Structures are given as structure tokens and as C-alpha cells.
Amino acid sequence: MNPVEEYPFIVQPFEVDFRGKLTFPLLVNKLLNAAGHHADNRGFGMRDINKINRSWVLFKISLDLTRCPKEREEIKVETWIEGLLRTFTQRNFAISDMEGNALGYARTVWAMIDTETRRPVNLMEYGIDQFIHQKDCPVEKGGKIALIDDVEAQESFTIKYSDVDINQHLNSAKYVEHIFDAFTLDEIKRHNLIKRFEIEYVEECRYGEIVYIYKKEVEPHDFIIILKKENGSVACKSRILFSE
Amino acid sequence: MNPVEEYPFIVQPFEVDFRGKLTFPLLVNKLLNAAGHHADNRGFGMRDINKINRSWVLFKISLDLTRCPKEREEIKVETWIEGLLRTFTQRNFAISDMEGNALGYARTVWAMIDTETRRPVNLMEYGIDQFIHQKDCPVEKGGKIALIDDVEAQESFTIKYSDVDINQHLNSAKYVEHIFDAFTLDEIKRHNLIKRFEIEYVEECRYGEIVYIYKKEVEPHDFIIILKKENGSVACKSRILFSE
């Protein structure tokens, strides 16, 4: 089986934002869905590993974008496993239009956990290594995202029905939606493009929990957004770099 | 061109709720996207009518469901125009699995407005009548949804980036998401199925507006949910009937 798989999709009318472009959270959603299919088709997806009390946990996404897909455009996402360590695996993505022009690339880091102990398991035992593949994926290596301790919470939200996955945790794509909802339309309008997006998932958030959003423009066009739980612990750290 | 068009889709991992089933708001989203494509492909979609300062406005959805699609299931939505009056048109939907088993049916009512005057236009001038089609669509005729004036607002939300369409209005599918988010997981768990969903869109909600949610179980398993704006005017009325 080919280590790289391609997932085409058409940007739907109800998937675009006020600019007529695919909302960024839904772009991330498309990548994660492609990841799910790719893993399922190779026997190490949620479908199969859930049966043996295992689950994938997403740790990090770094995404560089040169153009955002627009309404009705046909786009394809390619995904493959670039590397495998004992407790981490790196999955990459290429996003392109139907003429083959690159729109962006992403790198993600995952672990597999035992759903009972919540501890990472040894990834060498699931036949993933046979699909490791090297392919161009020019995403700048991001540093650790700094905490911003000098700002007050901008707002908060409570985790609801449409936020949660089958484990009743805030789903990985919905973190991104809440992060982008911390920006006003004017803030997004001031910039032409989201050039870079990074997120580090730190702690799971459960149904009913209140999450606080901290946001700061640390450099011009460069924002850090931190989601914290009620007890002050960090749920995720994120960075959005807009073009000028 | 065939008056009925068929839109297949696969329920994606990040489209399911805590029960592993397609979230109801996303089911509505799929219907509306199918409507968009169907109209576009016949020359009276948003793409074409926006150019002449016209826009579609959705007034009402009535949906009867017998089974909810589950993760990875391949589903198809068929849509067609059932009727056309001077200022209203009725668009119907059939939802089925790939073996042709019906999962549900929906009826929707739309008007076309002049985007400058915001007034409805005469629908007879857009070549829609040639696509009128009769096909089985067993949806119970819903009555007017009653207002519930004896309950306090349960909660409120502010309309954000991911809520709005290209006109910076709360998009029709996102109304449904906020309505379902007014239910706890326990309330949804208590019932096996959403048997019936009705929504009447009354007034547009704009980016930044605060919307209040009123909810009441008027009969066992039968809920009315009203969204109101800050000035007290009704934004939409909705009814959800769960199976016992």
C-alpha cells in the first residue's frame, strides 16, 4: 500500500468565513480527517486501535500556508508518516490545488496511549514503520511557544455538545475554532493571510469544563494564544503569525 | 438537466459527536451545502445571483429522521425543488444510506431577496420553474412553533468569527449548532434519536451580537428553543422532538 494517500475535497458554501475562504479551523479539521482515513486504511487508525484499548493523542501541529482555499475550490490533502520513535510519530501533510500548486504544508506529532492507564505505548508494535516515507515538507521548525503571564483572560467558554469527541473531550479541531474565535473580524481583515499556525496540546479538556482564553500580540502580526482551565493549568498553547 | 441531484458524503472522524454519530448541526450543514451545489449547477445559486445583487434567505427547515448516520458511513443527500410561488420556493431533501434505505427527509422554504432593499423578489424570473419536481418526501407538516414566554434565558453567546457567513451574519447551520449546544450530553443521551427538528429563521443576527437562548420541554421529549437578540426580538424558533 502506498505510504502517501491523497484526500480531495471541495470547499463547501457553509465552510467559508466572511472572506469567502475556508475557515482556518475547518482546514485543520480536513487535515485531521485525512490523517484518520490514512491510518484506518493501514490498520493503525482509531477504528482498529480502540478495540485494543489504544487511542491516538495529537501533541502538536505546525502549519505554513501560502494561500487559503476559497469557496468551491477543489483541494487535495496528502498525508504520510515521516518518522517513528518509540513513543512519538511524525505525520506530515501537503495541501495543494488541483493544478498541483502548493498551498501549504503541515507537520504533526502524535503518541498512542493506553486508554486505561493513559500512558504512551511503544509505537514499534503496530506495523506503522513499514509506511515511513520521505517527501518534501517545507515547514519551518517552530520553537517552544512561550507562555504569556502578563495578560488577563480575554474571555472564556464552556465545553458543549458540539465541542466534544467520542471520549467527551474537546476535539482537536474545536480547540482551533475557539482560538480563532478569539480574533475579531477586524483583526483577521487587517491581515491578508494566516502564514503560520502552531498549536501544542498540553492537557485534555472535558465536557462541561470552563476554558479561559489568553491572547497577546507578542510581535507585530504575531500572536500567542493560551487556553487555560479553571484551575490555571494550561490546556494548549498556540501561535498565529499573520502576513503583513 | 435532472431536477434531482445526489450528493454523497462520508461521515468524517471529526464530524461525529460523543455517540460516534454525525452531529445534528453538521447533518443540517450537509443539506444546505447540497442545496447550494444544486442551485449553482442550475444557474440560480448564490454564485450567480450575488452578481445581480440577489441572495437566498432560508426561512424554515422541517426534518424527520429515522436513523442518524454514524462515523465513516457513506450517506447520500438528494435534493430538488418541489414548488415555486411568487416569493417562496420549497426545496426538499431525502437522506439515505448507500443501500438506498431512507434515513430521513427534510422540507425547506426559501425566498430570494434584493441585497440592497432586503425585500423579496419575484422568483418567477430566474428559470427555477423548469426544475420543479414531485418526489416522495414524507415529512410531517409542522405547525407554527409557539413562543415560550414563561422561562428565563438559559444562557447567551456572542457571534464570532467561525459563526458568520460572507455577509457577517450568523450562518444558518451555526444557528443549529448553538441550539444543540443548549442541551447537555445527558439530555441527548436519555434519548435514542432526534426524531424531528424544525427551525423558523425570523431575524438575521450579525457578527458581535449577543444572542440569548430560551429552552423548554413543552411535552415529554419535545423541546422548544427560542433564540432572542439583546433587544428582545426573536432571531429564530426551533423545536426538537426526541424519540422516547
Side-chain angles (χ1 to χ4, degrees):
Chain A
M1 185 171 258
N2 194 328
V4 186
E5 204 164 317
E6 196 177 295
Y7 300 91
F9 66 91
I10 293 168
V11 179
Q12 303 290 329
F14 285 83
E15 293 182 335
V16 300
D17 65 11
F18 71 102
R19 306 166 306 161
K21 293 183 178 164
L22 179 62
T23 77
F24 196 88
L26 282 174
L27 175 61
V28 172
N29 195 308
K30 303 284 183 193
L31 300 187
L32 298 180
N33 284 325
H37 285 293
H38 180 274
D40 274 339
N41 291 343
R42 283 157 188 78
F44 54 86
M46 287 285 196
R47 191 169 50 176
D48 290 307
I49 66 168
N50 282 349
K51 290 177 196 152
I52 50 166
N53 299 320
R54 300 284 180 271
S55 185
W56 283 111
V57 174
L58 176 58
F59 274 83
K60 198 178 166 159
I61 305 174
S62 311
L63 196 158
D64 280 352
L65 208 62
T66 48
R67 180 168 81 73
C68 193
K70 53 182 193 287
E71 187 173 343
R72 283 169 220 289
E73 194 172 0
E74 195 173 354
I75 297 295
K76 66 177 178 190
V77 171
E78 288 167 288
T79 182
W80 67 96
I81 302 284
E82 189 188 69
L84 190 67
L85 292 169
R86 197 180 148 83
T87 54
F88 285 101
T89 176
Q90 177 143 20
R91 172 183 287 286
N92 293 355
F93 300 87
I95 308 157
S96 53
D97 64 23
M98 283 301 153
E99 284 76 50
N101 304 306
L103 271 66
Y105 295 92
R107 293 175 171 271
T108 57
V109 176
W110 305 70
M112 196 191 286
I113 59 161
D114 181 313
T115 51
E116 277 158 27
T117 64
R118 310 302 290 173
R119 302 280 308 159
V121 299
N122 183 350
L123 282 169
M124 298 302 167
E125 297 163 6
Y126 300 89
I128 302 169
D129 53 314
Q130 63 186 303
F131 299 108
I132 292 174
H133 183 73
Q134 304 306 316
K135 186 175 145 69
D136 203 30
C137 191
V139 176
E140 260 188 67
K141 205 169 158 59
K144 268 243 170 286
I145 300 169
L147 282 170
I148 41 169
D149 288 324
D150 53 342
V151 292
E152 296 290 309
Q154 174 181 311
E155 59 200 293
S156 68
F157 64 91
T158 303
I159 299 177
K160 297 188 171 167
Y161 164 75
S162 65
D163 286 318
V164 298
D165 61 20
I166 202 154
N167 299 310
Q168 304 190 14
H169 293 147
L170 181 59
N171 94 39
S172 309
K174 279 285 183 170
Y175 279 80
V176 183
E177 188 172 310
H178 289 290
I179 287 167
F180 276 81
D181 279 348
F183 288 84
T184 65
L185 298 195
D186 280 339
E187 282 176 315
I188 294 174
K189 236 183 290 182
R190 269 200 288 132
H191 304 96
N192 185 37
L193 179 77
I194 294 135
K195 265 170 72 173
R196 180 173 185 79
F197 173 72
E198 291 170 45
I199 182 168
E200 292 171 27
Y201 296 92
V202 181
E203 210 176 294
E204 287 162 343
C205 300
R206 291 175 180 279
Y207 172 74
E209 278 194 293
I210 301 171
V211 178
Y212 294 85
I213 303 179
Y214 298 77
K215 171 169 147 249
K216 187 181 180 183
E217 190 167 5
V218 287
E219 297 285 340
H221 319 293
D222 195 352
F223 291 84
I224 286 181
I225 307 95
I226 308 286
L227 269 50
K228 284 187 183 177
K229 301 178 149 206
E230 240 182 328
N231 65 6
S233 67
V234 174
C236 84
K237 302 193 286 178
S238 172
R239 180 189 170 205
I240 297 173
L241 176 64
F242 292 96
S243 64
E244 291 175 36
Chain B
M1 184 170 261
N2 194 326
V4 186
E5 204 164 317
E6 194 178 297
Y7 301 91
F9 67 91
I10 293 169
V11 179
Q12 302 290 330
F14 285 83
E15 293 183 335
V16 300
D17 65 12
F18 70 103
R19 305 166 307 159
K21 293 183 176 163
L22 180 63
T23 78
F24 196 89
L26 282 174
L27 175 61
V28 172
N29 193 310
K30 303 283 181 192
L31 300 186
L32 298 179
N33 284 325
H37 285 292
H38 179 274
D40 274 340
N41 291 344
R42 284 156 188 80
F44 54 86
M46 287 284 195
R47 190 171 50 180
D48 289 309
I49 68 170
N50 281 349
K51 291 176 194 152
I52 51 168
N53 299 321
R54 301 284 181 270
S55 186
W56 283 110
V57 174
L58 176 58
F59 274 84
K60 197 177 167 160
I61 306 174
S62 310
L63 196 158
D64 280 353
L65 208 60
T66 48
R67 181 169 80 73
C68 193
K70 54 181 191 289
E71 187 173 343
R72 283 169 220 289
E73 194 173 359
E74 194 172 354
I75 297 294
K76 65 178 180 192
V77 171
E78 289 167 287
T79 182
W80 67 97
I81 302 284
E82 188 186 73
L84 192 67
L85 292 169
R86 198 181 148 84
T87 54
F88 285 101
T89 177
Q90 177 143 20
R91 172 184 287 284
N92 293 355
F93 300 86
I95 308 157
S96 53
D97 64 23
M98 282 301 152
E99 285 75 51
N101 304 305
L103 271 65
Y105 295 92
R107 293 177 170 270
T108 57
V109 177
W110 305 70
M112 196 191 285
I113 59 162
D114 182 314
T115 52
E116 277 159 24
T117 65
R118 310 300 292 174
R119 301 282 307 159
V121 300
N122 183 350
L123 283 170
M124 300 301 167
E125 297 163 7
Y126 300 88
I128 303 169
D129 53 313
Q130 63 185 304
F131 299 108
I132 291 173
H133 183 71
Q134 303 306 316
K135 185 174 146 67
D136 202 30
C137 192
V139 176
E140 262 190 64
K141 207 170 158 57
K144 268 242 171 285
I145 299 169
L147 282 171
I148 41 169
D149 287 325
D150 53 344
V151 290
E152 297 289 312
Q154 173 180 314
E155 58 199 297
S156 67
F157 64 91
T158 303
I159 299 177
K160 298 187 171 166
Y161 164 75
S162 65
D163 287 317
V164 299
D165 62 20
I166 203 154
N167 299 311
Q168 303 190 12
H169 293 147
L170 181 58
N171 94 39
S172 308
K174 279 284 186 174
Y175 279 81
V176 183
E177 188 172 310
H178 289 291
I179 287 168
F180 276 81
D181 279 348
F183 288 84
T184 64
L185 299 196
D186 280 339
E187 282 175 315
I188 294 174
K189 239 184 289 183
R190 269 200 288 132
H191 304 96
N192 184 36
L193 179 77
I194 293 134
K195 265 169 72 173
R196 182 173 183 81
F197 173 71
E198 291 171 43
I199 182 167
E200 292 172 30
Y201 296 92
V202 181
E203 209 176 294
E204 287 162 342
C205 300
R206 291 175 181 279
Y207 173 74
E209 278 194 295
I210 301 171
V211 178
Y212 294 85
I213 303 181
Y214 298 77
K215 169 169 147 250
K216 188 181 179 182
E217 191 167 3
V218 288
E219 298 285 340
H221 319 292
D222 195 353
F223 290 83
I224 286 182
I225 307 96
I226 308 285
L227 269 49
K228 284 188 182 176
K229 302 176 147 207
E230 240 182 328
N231 65 7
S233 66
V234 174
C236 83
K237 301 194 287 179
S238 173
R239 179 189 171 206
I240 298 173
L241 177 63
F242 291 95
S243 65
E244 290 175 35

